[in-house]
Amino acid sequence: MRFLIRDNFITPLKDNKNSLPISQIRTIPQPALNPDYAYNPNLQKLLTGKQLLLEDLPFPIKDIQEHYENGYITYRSGIEYRRNQPSCSRCGNKEENWFAHFPCARCGELCVYCRKCLMMGRISACTPLLGWNGPAPEHHLPETILGWKGQLSPGQQTASNRVVETVRNMSELLVWAVCGAGKTEVLFAGIESALAAKKRVCIATPRTDVVLELTPRLKAAFPRISVASLYGGSEDRHLYAPLTIATTHQLMRFYHAFDTIILDEVDAFPYTAEESLQYAAIQARKPESAMIYLTATPNERWQRECRTGKRAFVTIPARFHRHPLPMPGFKWCGNWQKQLKKEKLPAIILTWIKDRLENKKQALLFFPHIALMEKALPILRTLVPEIEAVHAEDPDRKDKVQKMRNKEIPLLLTTTILERGVTFPNIDVAVVGAEDDIFTESALVQIAGRAGRSKDFPNGVVTFFHYGKTEAMLKARRQIQTMNQEGVRRGLID
């Protein structure tokens, strides 16, 4: 799109001679807000706290331009240039290899576009990003905001108090809580405090599965509050709500939107691997806002910052049922990959599996790679034909997980896809090839955290089968041990 600058406005034009692509306009004028202008409330709800493309808006350009000229809409350049290098305003991409050119019909030039966030709609050098500059929509609060009547454990209550304090002070906090500690419930009082102050809250998580799992829990906890659930293909894409739960990818559509952002599973892929998602989280929060990070496994740098007082944090070192976390046992299994090539599994692994099958104890068996897991599956099916395997690309993934919950599968082979976000009440867990690089400290702590989560079955066996101990294995065991010791010291473990 090309714009002409005149009368302290920019105006969309198709005339190539007297207009410029928006990225070539150094300072985009912003007209003063006209309080007498009757703005469109539907446009207000759609654009508040957002950065959207023109094609995302079901309104004619004439109406949009009129709102801009009356100060209610902002235009930003989708791609900005710094020292002649392009930078994507939406995802923060500055890497040259993620930009490409195409002959653009809108501006009539060979136009640069960002390939990094292309799935959200194309951002090019002539693309404006639109936002709202007027008052935010009113949301009327019910008399009772929080409908949840549960009881927090002492460890949860301590963390909940810190969350409330962080929301009120507009500061930052890391909630370092062991797997199965009940992190979601710890957030409720903080969310209630923010909503009561008419603040806007977002819970963001890297994975769609978690959004789908948390949405009904949040709607049940806040039954009279509008909740927007955002993920790829979501029907709530344009819903304005005081409480939003979204994948971290969806945060790219927001700009200075939220007074409080809660980042769940901050150590999980793809958030840790993609700088664009970290950039999106920063852009989505208001300049003055609260940021709360949740994880069971902070990275080494964050752990060091906690220890040295450089990062505000609170720990929940014990589960609500007051039993210690299962400690992983290390079992040497020899060159298991060599045996697998001969269509065999080490005797020590087979014995572990047979014990579970004979005692009717469900188990998860983690493998480092799909090909190795699928090689092991027919070997194990000779023991029990109902044994299944699952991985990220498996179209029947959800069905198999549900069958496991229904106790129709005695043993489920899996990649790291099930290291987090799933709960089975009474299982043992083993890792085959725990020495593989894919099993980081974080992954191994999460895997161990699958066992012993239920108050009815608080114990579970965790075994790391290996062909040589790694630093990650030792650190994972040390972290679990440290949390158990802290839980005992604070009187949170019986």
Side-chain angles (χ1 to χ4, degrees):
M1 178 167 285
R2 300 182 74 91
F3 289 88
L4 174 72
I5 304 177
R6 67 180 175 203
D7 301 329
N8 209 28
F9 297 142
I10 58 170
T11 307
L13 273 189
K14 290 186 178 177
D15 177 3
N16 284 19
K17 290 180 183 177
N18 300 311
S19 60
L20 293 168
I22 196 163
S23 62
Q24 293 180 29
I25 300 172
R26 286 194 176 182
T27 304
I28 299 169
Q30 181 59 46
L33 206 64
N34 175 8
D36 298 324
Y37 179 71
Y39 61 82
N40 185 329
N42 293 323
L43 192 52
Q44 175 200 35
K45 286 178 182 174
L46 189 60
L47 272 180
T48 298
K50 294 281 187 70
Q51 49 178 8
L52 299 181
L53 307 176
L54 273 168
E55 49 264 39
D56 290 330
L57 305 179
F59 299 94
I61 187 68
K62 176 179 167 293
D63 291 0
I64 290 165
Q65 182 63 16
E66 191 178 282
H67 277 74
Y68 161 73
E69 290 179 6
N70 283 280
Y72 285 82
I73 277 180
T74 60
Y75 286 126
R76 289 170 67 224
S77 179
I79 288 180
E80 295 180 340
Y81 283 87
R82 289 163 194 161
R83 295 178 184 172
N84 292 324
Q85 294 299 313
S87 170
C88 179
S89 300
R90 182 170 62 188
C91 75
N93 171 42
K94 296 184 180 112
E95 296 175 47
E96 199 173 332
N97 60 311
W98 279 103
F99 289 101
H101 295 77
F102 75 110
C104 180
R106 286 182 172 178
C107 69
E109 297 185 11
L110 195 62
C111 208
V112 174
Y113 72 98
C114 177
R115 296 190 300 116
K116 190 94 173 180
C117 57
L118 190 57
M119 77 286 186
M120 312 286 288
R122 182 158 56 196
I123 290 263
S124 67
C126 70
T127 305
L129 280 169
L130 281 74
W132 185 254
N133 193 45
E138 283 283 321
H139 48 264
H140 301 286
L141 294 171
E143 280 185 28
T144 304
I145 295 172
L146 181 60
W148 184 75
K149 302 296 181 191
Q151 187 76 32
L152 296 177
S153 70
Q156 286 176 308
Q157 189 62 58
T158 299
S160 175
N161 294 344
R162 288 290 301 279
V163 168
V164 171
E165 182 186 314
T166 302
V167 167
R168 288 176 180 164
N169 294 342
M170 297 287 195
S171 51
E172 293 195 1
L173 179 71
L174 167 65
V175 179
W176 182 353
V178 298
C179 299
K183 293 191 294 291
T184 306
E185 291 76 12
V186 162
L187 303 173
F188 289 164
I191 294 171
E192 180 186 32
S193 171
L195 294 174
K198 299 208 168 177
K199 292 175 179 176
R200 203 171 172 200
V201 181
C202 177
I203 301 175
T205 179
R207 298 183 304 128
T208 299
D209 295 18
V210 180
V211 173
L212 295 173
E213 184 201 332
L214 285 181
T215 298
R217 291 174 67 186
L218 286 169
K219 287 183 174 179
F222 300 94
R224 300 180 67 190
I225 297 291
S226 177
V227 178
S229 181
L230 306 179
Y231 49 89
S234 162
E235 293 179 2
D236 292 352
R237 184 176 161 190
H238 295 313
L239 174 66
Y240 177 86
L243 179 55
T244 297
I245 175 160
T247 60
T248 44
H249 279 93
Q250 292 297 320
L251 292 184
M252 287 187 200
R253 299 190 193 279
F254 291 92
Y255 184 72
H256 292 179
F258 301 107
D259 302 281
T260 296
I261 292 185
I262 298 161
L263 273 175
D264 191 16
E265 295 194 334
V266 73
D267 62 300
F269 182 86
Y271 183 80
T272 48
E274 292 190 28
E275 285 185 18
S276 59
L277 298 181
Q278 297 162 35
Y279 174 88
I282 292 166
Q283 276 217 129
R285 61 187 292 198
K286 289 181 180 176
E288 195 176 327
S289 56
M291 181 75 94
I292 295 158
Y293 302 97
L294 304 179
T295 182
T297 47
N299 63 38
E300 208 165 284
R301 180 169 65 85
W302 281 32
Q303 289 185 40
R304 189 167 58 250
E305 288 174 0
C306 291
R307 285 194 299 270
T308 56
K310 291 179 180 176
R311 181 173 291 278
F313 76 105
V314 62
T315 56
I316 311 177
R319 290 170 170 170
F320 65 95
H321 55 50
R322 302 184 62 83
H323 286 261
L325 301 167
M327 285 293 296
F330 294 175
K331 300 280 186 185
W332 187 82
C333 63
N335 192 340
W336 63 277
Q337 290 198 44
K338 188 176 178 181
Q339 290 201 48
L340 203 49
K341 283 178 184 174
K342 297 176 183 176
E343 300 186 353
K344 292 179 181 178
L345 274 170
I348 193 170
I349 296 176
L350 282 173
T351 301
W352 190 95
I353 291 166
K354 286 175 182 175
D355 283 350
R356 269 84 207 154
L357 294 174
E358 286 167 11
N359 292 309
K360 300 197 182 312
K361 180 73 179 279
Q362 281 186 297
L364 284 176
L365 197 62
F366 285 84
F367 283 80
H369 305 289
I370 296 170
L372 295 168
M373 178 180 74
E374 290 183 337
K375 190 99 174 154
L377 182 60
I379 300 169
L380 295 174
R381 275 185 169 164
T382 61
L383 302 175
V384 175
E386 288 79 21
I387 291 172
E388 291 283 3
V390 69
H391 56 85
E393 304 304 318
D394 187 343
D396 300 323
R397 177 174 134 204
K398 287 183 181 174
D399 288 342
K400 288 175 182 176
V401 169
Q402 191 54 52
K403 280 184 178 179
M404 184 74 177
R405 287 198 176 105
N406 296 344
K407 299 186 177 176
E408 296 169 38
I409 297 173
L411 177 71
L412 184 59
L413 280 54
T414 179
T415 59
T416 53
I417 188 64
L418 294 188
E419 77 176 36
R420 61 180 78 221
V422 291
T423 298
F424 305 109
N426 185 21
I427 61 164
D428 289 340
V429 175
V431 177
V432 176
E435 75 283 352
D436 194 281
D437 288 346
I438 201 162
F439 293 121
T440 59
E441 176 192 356
S442 165
L444 291 170
V445 170
Q446 289 284 354
I447 286 167
R450 298 309 97 204
R453 294 168 75 92
S454 165
K455 64 179 172 57
D456 298 320
F457 306 99
N459 304 307
V461 174
V462 178
T463 307
F464 294 167
F465 292 108
H466 65 90
Y467 186 35
K469 293 176 189 174
T470 63
E471 191 66 24
M473 290 165 63
L474 296 170
K475 282 182 175 177
R477 186 161 68 176
R478 203 176 304 132
Q479 188 184 144
I480 293 167
Q481 190 173 34
T482 300
M483 282 296 190
N484 280 339
Q485 288 169 347
E486 187 183 337
V488 171
R489 191 171 66 249
R490 285 171 53 181
L492 303 174
I493 290 176
D494 295 329

